[in-house]
């Protein structure tokens, strides 16, 4: 009988040192010794991708996109080789593969590519030979054979997509927290771990800034019904959080935080040219706020750096903002109540938007901790008990 396949992905902190790589190896060996085939996806060592981005930016604030992908993909190659060496040393056959070697084919969009196809034949052969296969996360090749990367945090998407193509029994995302929390526990200490969360809520959380899972990985898992679990490399006892179910329940499931956003204000007559620039540069506009003569746009800070090259100083003003989003069923969310409570606490709301499954307020970056804790207190601490 064919052995079941488990896909395990390890994030940057998990492979951040030789010592931690030993802990990673233990999880892999446990799954292998349990009688599974094991495919592993790794991120770059903690801080490595940022270091590489920084090097590139010392040369050019907007580096050549193709060459940036060549550079950034090197981070994951370091981790995959170190992990394969560790497993070999422990007596387990392991083989590392780059995205290209794993036959992960993406579209042409450098720095933010989408996986279009994976020819899994080579991987299957290695797995059937009892090898532990280690694939570099976050990268593939386009149809010309050029290296592409999937956008920051993209290793989750490599793992989930491989799990889907290979029909894995479970895709396990190992990280430095032991699951999916109602808010970033570093900012809201009261944040609670969710033992399960449905795909729709998870998607909305990821879309609004929750970093625990890369958004395309959630979308892929939902579409292809990939059993997805987030768990800790360092805390063995926890079963983590399971993402499952197509139905979003009533109530609020969490508060998502999005930092490093730029609010750009321009004269309304310049909208068409700004939209054209965004389209050409592949920049997503998060929000648009129109007032009498001016219009404000929210884009990621990194995108603003690109856009700035095409806008003159005179034509615009810009400031950093953070977005805080309450995610869930909006039945019990009152805009008036949020506005009143935040202004009682001296918080300046820059703007707010209401969507079907979320309510976002934009605030100054220095107020994030305060606002996240206030909203968490109202909508989660004083509401339902989530941990089951
Ligand atoms: N190393 C890449 C990043 O830091 C991809 C990942 O970690 O998922 O964004
Ligand atoms: Mg991540």
């Amino acid at each position: 009988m064919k052995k079941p396949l488990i896909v395990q992905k390890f994030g940057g902190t998990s492979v951040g040192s030789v010592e931690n790589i030993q802990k990673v190896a233990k999880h892999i060996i446990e799954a292998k010794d349990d009688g599974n085939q094991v495919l592993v996806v790794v991120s770059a060592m903690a801080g490595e991708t940022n270091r590489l981005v920084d090097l590139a930016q010392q040369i050019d604030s907007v580096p050549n996109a193709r060459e940036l992908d060549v550079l950034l993909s090197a981070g994951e190659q370091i981790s995959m080789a170190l992990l394969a060496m560790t497993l070999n040393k422990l007596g387990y056959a392991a083989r590392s593969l780059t995205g290209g070697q794993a036959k992960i084919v993406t579209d042409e969009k450098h720095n933010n590519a989408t996986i279009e196809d994976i020819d899994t034949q080579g991987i299957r052969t290695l797995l059937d030979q009892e090898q532990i296969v280690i694939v570099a996360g976050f990268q593939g090749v386009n149809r010309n054979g050029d290296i592409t990367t999937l956008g920051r945090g993209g290793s989750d998407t490599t793992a989930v997509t491989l799990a889907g193509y290979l029909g894995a029994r479970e895709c396990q995302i190992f990280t430095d927290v032991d699951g999916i929390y109602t808010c970033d526990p570093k900012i809201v200490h009261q944040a609670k771990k969710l033992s399960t969360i449905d795909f729709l809520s998870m998607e909305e959380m990821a879309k609004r800034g929750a970093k625990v899972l890369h958004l395309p990985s959630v979308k892929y898992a939902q579409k292809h019904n990939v059993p997805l679990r987030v768990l800790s490399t360092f805390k063995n006892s926890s079963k983590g959080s399971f993402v499952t179910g197509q139905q979003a329940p009533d109530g609020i499931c969490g508060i998502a935080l999005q930092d490093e956003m730029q609010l750009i204000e321009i004269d309304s007559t310049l909208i068409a040219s700004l939209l054209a620039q965004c389209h050409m540069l592949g920049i997503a506009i998060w929000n648009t706020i129109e007032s009498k003569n001016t219009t404000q746009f929210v884009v990621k800070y990194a995108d603003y750096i690109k856009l700035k090259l095409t806008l003159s100083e005179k034509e615009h003003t810009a400031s950093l903002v953070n977005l805080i989003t309450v995610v869930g069923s909006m039945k019990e969310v009152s805009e008036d109540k949020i506005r009143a409570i935040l202004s009682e606490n001296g918080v300046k709301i820059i703007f707010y938007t209401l969507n079907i499954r979320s309510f976002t307020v934009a605030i100054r970056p220095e107020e994030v901790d305060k606002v996240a804790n206030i909203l968490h207190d109202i909508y989660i601490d004083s509401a339902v008990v989530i941990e089951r």
Side-chain angles (χ1 to χ4, degrees), residues 9 11 43 153-154 156 175 211-214:
K9 178 255 168 177
S43 288
D156 298 336
T175 173
K211 303 270 180 310
V212 64
L213 286 171
H214 192 226

Side-chain angles (χ1 to χ4, degrees), residues 213-254:
L213 286 171
H214 192 226
L215 177 60
S217 75
V218 184
K219 289 188 172 168
Y220 185 92
Q222 169 175 35
K223 194 160 165 214
H224 299 274
N225 255 315
V226 178
L228 183 58
R229 189 181 295 281
V230 175
L231 67 179
S232 161
T233 304
F234 308 107
K235 213 166 143 188
N236 281 330
S237 55
S238 167
K239 281 199 156 45
S241 301
F242 196 48
V243 190
T244 184
Q246 304 285 353
Q247 207 70 35
D250 279 349
I252 299 303
C253 69

Side-chain angles (χ1 to χ4, degrees), residues 290-305:
E290 287 173 34
S291 43
K292 217 164 158 217
N293 299 317
T294 63
T295 300
Q296 293 175 312
F297 293 96
V298 180
V299 296
K300 282 195 170 155
Y301 177 72
D303 286 337
Y304 171 64
I305 300 296

Side-chain angles (χ1 to χ4, degrees), residues 253-269:
C253 69
I255 315 275
L257 310 177
Q258 178 69 48
D259 59 3
E260 306 254 307
M261 302 302 287
Q262 196 81 15
L263 182 74
I264 308 169
E265 181 161 16
I266 57 165
D267 192 282
S268 299
T269 54

Side-chain angles (χ1 to χ4, degrees), residues 4 8 11 24 39 46 59 78 88 127 188 193 226 242 251 260 265 276 289 294 301 309 369 373:
Q8 299 187 324
V24 164
L39 180 131
I59 295 167
I78 296 173
N88 288 161
L127 291 170
V188 174
K193 194 182 88 190
V226 178
F242 196 48
E260 306 254 307
E265 181 161 16
I289 310 109
T294 63
Y301 177 72
L309 301 174
D369 288 29
N373 277 285

Side-chain angles (χ1 to χ4, degrees), residues 37-57:
Q37 294 190 336
V38 186
L39 180 131
V40 180
V41 173
V42 284
S43 288
M45 296 172 89
E48 183 63 9
T49 310
N50 286 346
R51 188 183 74 86
L52 296 172
V53 169
D54 185 60
L55 282 176
Q57 282 178 341

